[in-house]
């Protein structure tokens, strides 16, 4: 069975500093992986997805993630945090056989001025 | 504008009083699903539907019902709500292809059962 682990429940950064949100996955197959963002009182928005093409995936709002098969990781990064990045972020793996998404438990990102 | 809408956005009710949360999408998507979000647990799938009149259980279906009589609508029914169903609920839709296709989420419904 596939699963995903988000290694930090909370991450705090200062505005203008880099962001790193960590995600490890477990999969018997070549996985498809996603990052979704949830701003307060909003629905979930797709940031980026990996589906076995380029291992470095660029998303919206300057975010990117790198698929590392050897480390079973799909960490989300951004070079310079903005106040508007404060939100909850979910790493998600696609369960191919069951045709559904498996969500991580989320990482809350705080950005301080 | 392509979107998934949910109503109501907020609901406070009492134990045992039947309620329905509506979900509608305007993207002609075949696949629709319901999730609940609880602190520290992420999103868990309640029910999903591959197309009209085709529904199946997700990971946490107990206490919920769904129906899919039209392609655009996928209501979630709680026939006898209990306090452990207090949660944030999301409806989502995508094309019927693969789970790798982008899933679009509604804005959420915050339900409190007293």
């Amino acid at each position: 069975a596939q699963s995903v682990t988000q290694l930090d429940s909370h991450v705090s950064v200062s505005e203008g500093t880099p962001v790193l949100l960590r995600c490890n996955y477990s999969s018997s197959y070549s996985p498809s992986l996603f990052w979704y963002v949830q701003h307060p009182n909003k629905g979930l928005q797709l940031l980026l997805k990996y589906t076995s093409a380029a291992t470095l995936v660029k998303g919206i709002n300057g975010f990117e993630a790198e698929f590392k098969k050897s480390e079973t990781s799909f960490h989300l990064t951004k070079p310079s945090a903005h106040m508007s990045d404060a939100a909850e972020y979910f790493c998600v793996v696609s369960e191919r056989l069951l045709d559904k998404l498996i969500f991580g438990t989320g990482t809350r990102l705080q950005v301080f001025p | 504008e392509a979107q998934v809408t949910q109503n109501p956005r907020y609901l406070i009710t009492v134990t045992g009083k039947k309620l329905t949360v509506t979900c509608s999408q305007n993207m002609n998507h075949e696949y629709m699903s319901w999730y609940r979000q609880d602190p520290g647990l992420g999103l868990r799938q309640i029910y999903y539907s591959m197309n009209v009149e085709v529904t199946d259980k997700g990971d946490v279906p107990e206490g919920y019902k769904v129906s899919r009589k039209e392609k655009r609508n996928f209501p979630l029914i709680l026939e006898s709500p209990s306090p452990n169903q207090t949660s944030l609920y999301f409806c989502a839709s995508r094309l019927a292809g693969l789970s790798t296709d982008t899933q679009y989420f509604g804005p959420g419904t915050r339900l409190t059962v007293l």
Side-chain angles (χ1 to χ4, degrees):
Chain A
Q2 292 170 304
S3 65
V4 63
T5 301
Q6 293 184 243
L7 298 169
D8 307 291
S9 58
H10 290 86
V11 170
S12 297
V13 300
S14 298
E15 192 174 22
T17 64
V19 175
L20 169 64
L21 305 184
R22 299 182 295 164
C23 173
N24 285 354
Y25 69 90
S26 171
S27 174
S28 303
Y29 308 92
S30 180
S32 295
L33 294 155
F34 307 76
W35 277 98
Y36 278 85
V37 61
Q38 182 184 25
H39 287 96
N41 299 313
K42 300 282 189 184
L44 281 80
Q45 180 184 20
L46 180 68
L47 270 181
L48 49 82
K49 67 178 179 180
Y50 165 78
T51 55
S52 76
T55 56
L56 182 62
V57 183
K58 294 189 184 300
I60 61 172
N61 301 332
F63 284 94
E64 63 182 37
E66 186 171 9
F67 173 73
K68 292 187 176 180
K69 186 175 182 179
S70 61
E71 299 176 9
T72 61
S73 69
F74 190 58
H75 301 335
L76 182 70
T77 60
K78 183 173 180 178
S80 176
H82 191 274
M83 295 296 291
S84 61
D85 294 328
E88 186 146 23
Y89 292 79
F90 292 96
C91 184
V92 184
V93 65
S94 169
E95 168 54 75
R96 185 172 302 182
L97 286 184
L98 297 178
D99 192 26
K100 70 176 190 179
L101 301 180
I102 308 294
F103 284 78
T105 53
T107 298
R108 183 163 297 280
L109 175 65
Q110 285 187 301
V111 182
F112 294 103
Chain B
E1 179 190 355
Q3 60 182 349
V4 179
T5 57
Q6 295 178 228
N7 283 291
R9 294 288 313 279
Y10 302 91
L11 179 60
I12 300 175
T13 189
V14 295
T15 298
K17 186 176 181 181
K18 181 179 179 180
L19 66 92
T20 299
V21 184
T22 65
C23 172
S24 183
Q25 50 93 5
N26 63 1
M27 295 169 278
N28 203 35
H29 286 166
E30 293 87 2
Y31 183 100
M32 297 184 74
S33 62
W34 276 102
Y35 297 86
R36 60 177 290 172
Q37 181 183 8
D38 301 292
L41 297 177
L43 276 74
R44 295 176 292 167
Q45 191 179 54
I46 303 170
Y47 268 94
Y48 65 96
S49 169
M50 297 295 288
N51 213 325
V52 176
E53 302 291 1
V54 181
T55 63
D56 209 346
K57 297 177 180 179
D59 297 315
V60 288
E62 294 78 20
Y64 304 95
K65 283 177 57 177
V66 293
S67 69
R68 187 91 182 272
K69 293 183 174 20
E70 304 167 281
K71 197 173 187 179
R72 63 184 294 127
N73 296 323
F74 190 44
L76 179 69
I77 303 156
L78 286 73
E79 297 225 324
S80 183
S82 62
N84 64 12
Q85 292 178 298
T86 293
S87 187
L88 179 58
Y89 291 86
F90 288 100
C91 180
S93 74
R94 63 168 170 82
L95 292 169
L98 299 172
S99 56
T100 52
D101 290 333
T102 300
Q103 196 153 174
Y104 295 85
F105 285 83
T109 295
R110 186 167 293 280
L111 172 66
T112 302
V113 183
L114 301 175

